[in-house]
Amino acid sequence: GDIATIIPFNSSTSVSRFLSVLPKSLQSMADTPIHVQTLNPSSNCTSWPKQCTLRGLLTHCMDIQSLPEREDLRNLSVYCNPNHPMGYNQKLKLKSLSETKEGALYGDYIVREKRNWSDVFFDFDSVRYDETEKTEEGKQEGVNTQSSSLLLTLDRLLMLVPPIVPRHFSIASAPSMSLLQGNSCVNDNDDITPNISLGNNDPTSSSTTFEIELCVALVQGKTPLGRSYQGLCSGYLSQLLSPSSLEDKKVEWSNYPSLRLWIKPGSFGKLPLQSIPPSLSTAERYFETPIMCVGAGTGIAPLRSLLLEREALRALALNDGSALSTSSNIIINDEKGGMRNGASTSSSSPKKKDNVLVFGCRQKSADYYFQNNWEMLVHNDRLRLLTAFSRDQWHKIYVQKVLRDADGGSLLVRHLLEENGAIYIAGGAKMAKCVKDEIIECLTEVLPRGERDAKVLLKRLGKLGKFNVEAWS
């Protein structure tokens, strides 16, 4: 359940395009060493590198692919040169876009069409205009061209464009599973799950490196006017960690692409791992506390980490050939696709099991992440799987409805009150709220003081680490 924080880079193509729409005075110093000094360190100014080049700043630090805010457009308007044939009109247009009453105009131009800083600088070319001649329009409007505009300099550019902010991704892999399999690859979705080796020396040495897996959906598409766009971090990872580069075993470690990444604890730090007495252990039950994981889309990542960690620890504790073989099959059959048609994708048996997974996505054919993992666990009686593919039928089905209707509506109550189970939710904020509301509603129907007792119970479980939500908008 840990989180990998990544700071992406801008591509050389994006940087070159942005440089091309800057004033020539800035273009000429793209590769010149510069020194940046913050005059007031206590202010809210961005802490840029002290020694760098403009190209380096644009590549590693400045978020030139972000969408400018309204306030940014107003700040940019002061750099429109009125000597440009359209300079005065462009200045007025930027001011209009920045006003709250023109929210629809801003939405159409910036939000719906995904116009980033490069696009805005390209459209409002008076910002980079170097001529000083007055236009007839400027004379007619009485514009003082000597004082109504400012020259866009490097220090002003640094005040204008925001820095690249870190992106946070829940880790989809489990440390114990990597230990069990000797750092073998566990994923079955190479298009959305990059494997990242972390270490400083030879990657073939398990003592100096380890791997993590991330479930990253590539953000890309076309706007209503047909403009192509792509997310900065997901696009960066998709190009940096392509399957061809991962499969090339002859690449020297010194030539591996670098990645600015660090790991911090996530929301699921108290995963129940206590086992029951061996005499009571069965194929379906090994842990004292059963867990229920509810996730949608890429929210499955941290839940997969929890489930694989429990399964790996179980296999290591049993320490016999059959246990290791069972866990190994998860990996072996995933890579070969051997169990895709052999395991049930929606186990509805009410038999008590260690792990319950409720997973939802739009379409089974496109968004069913880690399908082979779940089918293998179901096949081995280690998982009860409930799925909700919202757009695979004429009426939409979501995880909260599947969860509420399971076992005639008794699954949630039995899991929490009879089995003293834990529940973990991950995914979008709206989905997480709906699932939590369903849990409260189910508990309200059976607890003496209704909703009050239900909320008290969830709060108590939260303190014990048996009810956690990891949601994002």
Side-chain angles (χ1 to χ4, degrees), residues 202-218:
D202 184 358
T204 61
S205 173
S206 60
S207 62
T208 58
T209 66
F210 63 94
E211 289 185 352
I212 63 172
E213 296 175 49
L214 306 178
C215 184
V216 183
L218 180 59

Side-chain angles (χ1 to χ4, degrees), residues 3 17 34 82 89 97 282 373 376-377 380 403:
I3 295 173
R17 180 172 184 261
I34 57 176
N89 289 335
L97 286 166
T282 65
N373 286 167
M376 177 54 64
L377 288 173
N380 293 332
L403 185 61

Side-chain angles (χ1 to χ4, degrees), residues 363-376:
Q363 295 176 318
K364 178 180 179 180
S365 60
D367 310 310
Y368 195 2
Y369 304 141
F370 308 112
Q371 177 180 357
N372 284 351
N373 286 167
W374 314 137
E375 291 179 350
M376 177 54 64

Side-chain angles (χ1 to χ4, degrees), residues 387-398:
T387 55
F389 305 113
S390 61
R391 299 190 181 182
D392 279 355
Q393 59 283 314
W394 67 271
H395 62 290
K396 293 184 178 180
I397 299 177
Y398 298 107

Side-chain angles (χ1 to χ4, degrees), residues 291-431:
I291 68 170
M292 176 183 292
C293 297
V294 185
T298 55
I300 194 62
L303 305 180
R304 178 178 184 260
S305 176
L306 303 182
L307 293 169
L308 290 186
E309 181 69 10
R310 278 167 57 103
E311 289 309 291
L313 290 176
R314 171 181 172 272
L316 290 169
L318 293 176
N319 196 27
D320 62 63
S322 61
L324 291 174
S325 175
T326 299
S327 293
S328 297
N329 283 341
I330 300 174
I331 313 306
I332 295 171
N333 285 331
D334 271 349
E335 293 176 347
K336 297 179 179 180
M339 287 304 299
R340 185 170 295 276
N341 297 320
S344 169
T345 58
S346 58
S347 172
S348 59
S349 171
K351 185 185 294 186
K352 295 180 181 180
K353 295 183 179 178
D354 274 335
N355 309 303
V356 178
L357 173 63
V358 185
F359 174 70
C361 61
R362 292 183 177 183
Q363 295 176 318
K364 178 180 179 180
S365 60
D367 310 310
Y368 195 2
Y369 304 141
F370 308 112
Q371 177 180 357
N372 284 351
N373 286 167
W374 314 137
E375 291 179 350
M376 177 54 64
L377 288 173
V378 169
H379 176 76
N380 293 332
D381 284 329
R382 297 297 306 149
L383 177 72
R384 181 178 180 190
L385 177 64
L386 302 171
T387 55
F389 305 113
S390 61
R391 299 190 181 182
D392 279 355
Q393 59 283 314
W394 67 271
H395 62 290
K396 293 184 178 180
I397 299 177
Y398 298 107
V399 289
Q400 58 266 28
K401 176 173 174 55
V402 170
L403 185 61
R404 176 63 185 262
D405 295 343
D407 299 347
S410 65
L411 175 61
L412 272 172
V413 173
R414 186 176 68 247
H415 178 79
L416 287 173
L417 301 183
E418 297 180 15
E419 301 179 23
N420 295 317
I423 294 185
Y424 303 108
I425 305 169
K430 184 177 180 181
M431 179 278 300

